[in-house]
Amino acid sequence: GDMAAMGEHREVLEAYRMFAHDRGWIRKIEEAIRNGLTAEAAVEKVQSDMRARMLRQTDPYLRERLHDLDDLAHRLIRELMGREHGPLASELPQDAIIVARNMGAAELLDYGRDRLRGLVLEEGGPTSHVAIVARALGIPTVGQVEDIVSMADGDDAIIVDGESGEVQLRPPPDVEEAYAEKVRFRARRQAQYRRLRNKPSITKDGVEITLQMNAGLLVDLPQMAEAGAAGVGLFRTELQFMVASSFPRKSEQQAQYKQVLDAAEGKPITFRSLDIGGDKVLPYLRSIQEENPAMGWRALRLGLDRPGLLRTQIRALLTAASERDLKLMFPMVATVDEFLAAKSLVERELKHLRRHGHAVPDDIRLGVMVEVPSLLFQMDELLTHVDFVSVGSNDLFQFFCAVDRGNTRVAERFDTLNLAFLRALKTIVDAANSAHVPVTLCGELAGRPLEAMALIGLGFRDLSMSPSSLGPVKAMLRSLDAGRLSARLLPRLEPGHPESDIRGFLSRFAEDMDVSL
């Protein structure tokens, strides 16, 4: 594969190295061999003991690791039996869909990416490593599909709908036709979006909107030119850490950031410092059992308490961006002081690099993710210190409405376009504009045409989204009269306006005004 895929293979394979070099594991295998088992049988035995032990764990994360261990044992057995590793890309049929109990992220990377169309797993939940890596590679993945392995045969037709999370095994002709129509429709729309790629991102009434994309691995970057993004509005640095097996050393982090900056070819990239903890656990970082991890020890809090981690990352970023521009933002900031503490870490590292005669970035801009509602009441102080702000709409909404997005019971009840939340977003954009501080919104809101339309109506002019959303959002904004929308939307946010169904109003507006949704 290309270099990008190679680099990524390596990170995931690091995870296997950790298991493979585990003295205890190897010692147990050797002992079993001394007791008269063949090497293959010894690996089997040690693996099944290990399985039994790990299945007793209640920690879902540890149980997730079990699959990585299984995968390693199978690889070792294949090696011992002198078999080829995994299916070679050339053996994979065109448009292949993998159905498996579970798999390690490294195993996924063994398959040729150009032929692999989907992944169906009995176990893997949405936060498992393999799901995260599959999402980053743009492979539709559906997990937690009971008994699918025993039900499916090698050459069955199967439809994997990554968006709805549905899997259709041996679909009847009418279902297949409905999906085929959906695919044809999508292909026509994709062609239409490709034609828009080089057209300016300007509304009908001449308002310029900057569209950026979110990314997390080097593999994502070629999509920047393909999708016509103006830059990367959110680069999630933790993905590199999540697919590695031991803490990436400064040199490895630096190499990754430098490759990312090279691949961007001068377009701006906004790095977000390590956002781990909560549901994003690292196998090599002893995780703390927390009652409520989403509101616990994560992201910048973890970074400030373990400054070694954060300083290593900052130094790697400063070195990688030497003699160009660096934009860095910190996640989960709840007080202005936390930002100032992070900023002073950056200044210390800069001083250190300069003192030792290293080149440093030409321009450094530091910002904050606005995702904890407490910042809404510190906007004025915050804006005197930061160079830019970025609204993390997913977490902000979650904390703002006290709703867990993963919990379908409550997620359905709260509309992201509710009055209170839109007022909060408007507070942020108004404060940033009056302080002349650039503001971006990156989150799922930015990538859905109707929601993106609302954001433009509120005054946002810079949105960052997944690459596949750029086309639909651009088609929407080029058919939108932003001034007219604001004139009709903003009064509805004023106290005492009789109508509270803002989503309904927006849908009607789009229909009446022929906005392309």
Side-chain angles (χ1 to χ4, degrees), residues 431-465:
N433 288 343
S434 59
H436 305 293
V437 172
V439 55
T440 304
L441 185 137
C442 48
E444 284 164 32
L445 275 188
R448 297 195 205 109
L450 186 76
E451 278 84 345
M453 180 178 95
L455 292 171
I456 292 170
L458 293 175
F460 284 93
R461 298 295 176 254
D462 190 336
L463 305 175
S464 190
M465 61 204 70

Side-chain angles (χ1 to χ4, degrees), residues 263-376:
E265 299 180 331
K267 287 186 174 166
I269 293 218
T270 306
F271 291 97
R272 176 175 73 184
S273 75
L274 210 47
D275 189 358
I276 50 170
D279 55 353
K280 294 193 288 244
V281 195
L282 300 182
Y284 39 81
L285 202 65
R286 208 164 53 88
S287 73
I288 313 285
Q289 282 298 311
E290 294 183 82
E291 193 63 38
N292 192 337
M295 298 194 191
W297 195 53
R298 52 175 283 208
L300 185 64
R301 301 164 180 187
L302 191 150
L304 292 172
D305 291 347
R306 293 268 180 284
L309 304 187
L310 188 54
R311 280 179 49 195
T312 302
Q313 180 171 39
I314 289 170
R315 192 174 297 185
L317 281 162
L318 290 171
T319 320
S322 63
E323 298 179 343
R324 22 188 177 191
D325 299 347
L326 175 65
K327 282 185 80 177
L328 170 62
M329 59 182 173
F330 300 100
M332 276 293 286
V333 172
T335 68
V336 175
D337 288 345
E338 288 173 340
F339 169 72
L340 293 175
K343 184 178 174 175
S344 74
L345 280 183
V346 175
E347 281 162 357
R348 264 177 61 188
E349 289 307 320
L350 258 177
K351 227 160 68 194
H352 174 89
L353 289 171
R354 285 203 183 101
R355 207 173 45 234
H356 291 80
H358 293 293
V360 294
D362 294 341
D363 179 45
I364 297 175
R365 276 171 289 166
L366 300 178
V368 151
M369 292 279 289
V370 180
E371 45 192 353
V372 180
S374 60
L375 280 187
L376 289 172

